[in-house]
Amino acid sequence: PPPTGWTRGPDRTVMVEAADVAGNKLAPVIGANYLVKLEFDNFQAAEVVIGQAGFTGQSGGTAADKLSGPHGNPAVTPDGKLFIAEYENNRVLAFGAIPTVNGASASFVLGQPGFTTNDDVTARGSHPGPQQPPTAAGRLPVADYSANRVVIYGSIPSNGSAEPSVVVGQSDFDSEDSGCTDSRLNGPEAVSA
């Protein structure tokens, strides 16, 4: 690494090439990837706020740069996409990368036809009361609390037209019956991947 060290963030690739003083290569190039992990200090101040223009004030809404009732841990994919479940707006906001400026706009939305609606409906492409979307094995599960279900996207969504391929806790994507059986869920709040 440089004298100042590596900054936190994405993977770093290290390439090593050996040569003698005449420039003759002594070995093939060897490469490896290393992940520089985030480190936090006690009482460290946040650097960026998502869903607001700044650190003071508070406003909700359905715009691409607003959050209203975010719930649970956000999901970060290996390639750096960020997914935030927004309970009150019945949607999951997706960012192409972790924002580096205050008030950044989401790249696309899951669960709504666009950024200006927050309809509370139960259907294949909706998210009634979504909570904590983790990622695992290239999939994105979302706990839809108000629909008593967990839906699973077969791959990480890359745009707002993506729809889940599996529903757990219901017989189909249009039902929201609660229950405590081997085939029903009642208000799921989290999914562990």
Side-chain angles (χ1 to χ4, degrees), residues 7-8 36 38-39 54 64 77 81 89 120 154 170 174 177 187:
T7 58
R8 301 174 195 146
V36 180
L38 292 174
E39 294 180 9
T77 64
K81 288 185 184 81
N89 278 334
D120 184 5
Q170 299 297 325
D174 300 319
D177 303 320

Side-chain angles (χ1 to χ4, degrees), residues 44-141:
Q44 179 177 340
E47 295 178 11
V48 174
V49 63
I50 300 170
Q52 302 294 322
F55 287 98
T56 59
Q58 181 179 347
S59 63
T62 58
D65 63 345
K66 298 293 182 201
L67 288 173
S68 188
H71 197 280
N73 293 324
V76 179
T77 64
D79 64 350
K81 288 185 184 81
L82 173 69
F83 292 89
I84 300 175
E86 206 181 345
Y87 181 83
E88 291 177 14
N89 278 334
N90 302 300
R91 67 185 188 178
V92 175
L93 288 183
F95 296 81
I98 296 174
T100 58
V101 297
N102 293 345
S105 292
S107 303
F108 60 93
V109 61
L110 300 172
Q112 297 294 328
F115 290 111
T116 60
T117 60
N118 63 357
D119 299 328
D120 184 5
V121 297
T122 301
R124 183 180 203 137
S126 68
H127 287 297
Q131 313 214 356
Q132 193 166 330
T135 60
R139 295 181 181 92
L140 179 75

Side-chain angles (χ1 to χ4, degrees), residues 167-183:
V167 61
V168 177
Q170 299 297 325
S171 57
D172 57 52
F173 286 98
D174 300 319
S175 301
E176 57 182 39
D177 303 320
S178 65
C180 184
T181 69
D182 60 350
S183 60

